[in-house]
Amino acid sequence: MKDSFLVHGGARLQGAVKVAGAKNSVLKLMSAALLAPGTTTLTNCPDIADVSYMGEVLRGLGCEVELDGDTVHITTPEVVEYNADFDAVRQFRASVAVLGPLTARRHKARVALPGGDAIGSRPLDMHQSGLEKLGATTRIEHGCVVAEVEHLRGANIKLDFPSVGATENILTAAVLAEGITVLDNAAREPEIVDLCNFLNEMGAQVEGSGSSTITVHGVERLAPVTHEVVGDRIVAGTWAYAAAITRGDITVGGIDPAHLHLVLGKLKMAGAQVETYPTGFRVIQNTAPTAVDYQTLPFPGFPTDLQPLAIALCAASEGMSVITENIFESRFRFVDEMMRLGVDATIDGHHVVIRGGRQLSSAPVWSSDIRAGAGLVLAGLIADGVTEVHDIYHVDRGYPGFEAQLNALGATVERKVGNEA
């Protein structure tokens, strides 16, 4: 049996929260620690299940991993294992991030095809194509992606789409390749910038992070460092939308508001007051939100990870909204669960139309991914009665102490342990 949340409706969230390091960065930094023999230390790490999963992956490759509060110590041996075909790898999508570092360090990698959120297919075509441009041969074999190379050499690589995962695996292979690699149409997310900064601190020569063209001058060897993980903009955005959904007042710290420029701009369009500071922001929603349209796009566009939170806000807003999902074809699967709560939604391909302003009513609902789970919890906060959100192990993978932070802000959310009658 799995845990669930019992979410009591009628809450107005008010107070302050501080976000930890980004899930979408720390897991990739942990993987990149494979590039440097010795002990790498990461600080400001979130206390989430995926960090533990990645620790298991690295231990399976021969590393020693110590989790100490918000600090992770990774001791990488001179010779790492190359075969990441075991249960921990299949638990979550980010495990594929070891592909680039293993190809660079061992010249061979065998990585089980990963699992994770049910939000649509995320093939490895661009990962494989990028490594092949660097001189590797790749194939899918017995449920694993396999890469082999005698000598990595820099190349000019253009991605068909600014894939975050492909950008990361190409970067972490190219830093130890001979010569210069130019990666065009690269992902521009703040987590990519964090990875590039981390690699440069280790002794890599990466230029152009945060732009669509990244240039890598290969080096022979990298050294371990201590690095602070960038703040989690998706968790920060979740709290921003929680304030607007519940007509609340939340101050969020530990984040560069520039990483959420468009997200906060959408909240202003919905009628929220937004104040920004060097390391945070405040969102105040005193009146009913106004309907706003959304379309998800790669950074600096509206993030697909916040689309479920936007849908919850649209349900609480006066008027009609159209949300367009351009990244993952199955991300709307959770909308059926929103409809259980009384959300008036119509799905048409990669669009969903939300007619807001209706009183939501409690019902049992099921999470299909991390952000869908968070969206359902926030919708439950404005429903009448008690909403039970099932399969919250997804939420635990992305939000440290989610119910505790909600309760500190004035919500009533209880965790129902799976083995309870």
Side-chain angles (χ1 to χ4, degrees):
M1 296 291 292
K2 300 181 178 73
D3 291 1
S4 60
F5 283 145
L6 301 178
V7 182
H8 295 250
R12 179 181 187 269
L13 301 186
Q14 185 172 1
V17 295
K18 182 178 180 181
V19 300
K23 166 188 177 291
N24 291 334
S25 187
V26 66
L27 303 177
K28 317 308 174 60
L29 299 176
M30 291 175 71
S31 297
L34 290 165
L35 291 165
T39 300
T40 293
T41 299
L42 300 174
T43 63
N44 195 37
C45 298
D47 182 14
I48 55 175
D50 274 12
V51 169
S52 297
Y53 291 151
M54 184 59 81
E56 288 302 309
V57 171
L58 296 181
R59 290 186 187 103
L61 295 170
C63 299
E64 296 178 11
V65 181
E66 179 187 353
L67 307 180
D68 180 16
D70 68 351
T71 301
V72 177
H73 304 282
I74 302 164
T75 301
T76 302
E78 282 288 346
V79 179
V80 296
E81 300 292 332
Y82 69 85
N83 188 4
D85 179 14
F86 43 89
D87 288 344
V89 183
R90 302 176 191 273
Q91 295 294 316
F92 63 121
R93 180 69 188 182
S95 60
V96 77
V98 302
L99 180 63
L102 290 179
T103 303
R105 279 291 311 282
R106 279 301 307 268
H107 293 181
K108 184 174 183 178
R110 181 182 181 87
V111 182
L113 294 175
D117 294 330
I119 56 177
S121 63
R122 292 188 273 187
L124 300 182
D125 297 6
M126 284 186 285
H127 301 241
Q128 293 178 254
S129 176
L131 294 178
E132 288 169 1
K133 292 280 181 62
L134 296 173
T137 60
T138 72
R139 62 187 183 275
I140 303 295
E141 178 181 87
H142 303 302
C144 297
V145 56
V146 178
E148 297 175 304
V149 66
E150 289 188 7
H151 193 73
L152 287 171
R153 290 182 172 83
N156 293 327
I157 303 170
K158 183 173 183 177
L159 296 178
D160 295 333
F161 176 85
S163 161
V164 171
T167 297
E168 290 161 343
N169 266 326
I170 293 167
L171 281 175
T172 51
V175 289
L176 292 181
E178 179 184 339
I180 299 173
T181 297
V182 178
L183 180 57
D184 194 23
N185 201 25
R188 300 167 57 188
E189 276 74 0
E191 297 79 20
I192 294 291
V193 175
D194 199 28
L195 175 62
C196 291
N197 290 340
F198 176 63
L199 294 171
N200 284 340
E201 291 162 13
M202 297 169 78
Q205 297 181 24
V206 181
E207 303 167 355
S209 64
S211 74
S212 59
T213 301
I214 299 178
T215 301
V216 181
H217 298 261
V219 299
E220 292 184 0
R221 189 175 175 89
L222 299 176
V225 295
T226 296
H227 178 86
E228 181 178 347
V229 182
V230 69
D232 196 319
R233 64 193 171 98
I234 303 302
V235 173
T238 299
W239 295 122
Y241 274 73
I245 290 166
T246 65
R247 302 191 195 182
D249 179 352
I250 301 177
T251 299
V252 182
I255 187 70
D256 182 348
H259 295 168
L260 290 164
H261 178 73
L262 180 59
V263 170
L264 297 177
K266 288 287 187 180
L267 290 180
K268 290 179 183 179
M269 293 172 63
Q273 301 174 45
V274 179
E275 303 169 3
T276 60
Y277 315 105
T279 58
F281 59 85
R282 181 184 182 186
V283 175
I284 308 167
Q285 184 82 45
N286 290 321
T287 59
T290 301
V292 176
D293 294 339
Y294 294 85
Q295 61 172 329
T296 65
L297 290 168
F299 189 85
F302 191 85
T304 182
D305 279 353
L306 287 178
Q307 179 248 89
L309 291 309
I311 287 179
L313 177 59
C314 291
S317 300
E318 299 291 342
M320 185 179 75
S321 304
V322 179
I323 297 92
T324 302
E325 174 56 52
N326 294 307
I327 310 298
F328 294 124
E329 73 276 8
S330 297
R331 189 128 227 179
F332 284 150
R333 64 179 294 176
F334 87 101
V335 173
D336 287 344
E337 301 304 308
M338 284 285 196
M339 292 169 69
R340 290 178 189 267
L341 299 174
V343 174
D344 185 348
T346 303
I347 300 173
D348 181 12
H350 65 121
H351 308 282
V352 61
V353 178
I354 306 290
R355 295 168 183 84
R358 295 176 53 174
Q359 173 62 51
L360 303 187
S361 58
S362 58
V365 292
W366 280 260
S367 305
S368 56
D369 67 79
I370 296 170
R371 313 306 170 184
L376 290 167
V377 169
L378 297 189
L381 291 176
I382 57 170
D384 62 9
V386 180
T387 295
E388 184 166 6
V389 182
H390 295 271
D391 292 346
I392 61 167
Y393 66 90
H394 287 296
V395 178
D396 291 337
R397 289 181 46 229
Y399 291 91
F402 194 46
E403 72 269 32
Q405 289 188 304
L406 284 167
N407 291 337
L409 292 170
T412 301
V413 179
E414 306 166 69
R415 180 179 290 261
K416 180 180 176 183
V417 179
N419 60 8
E420 289 183 356

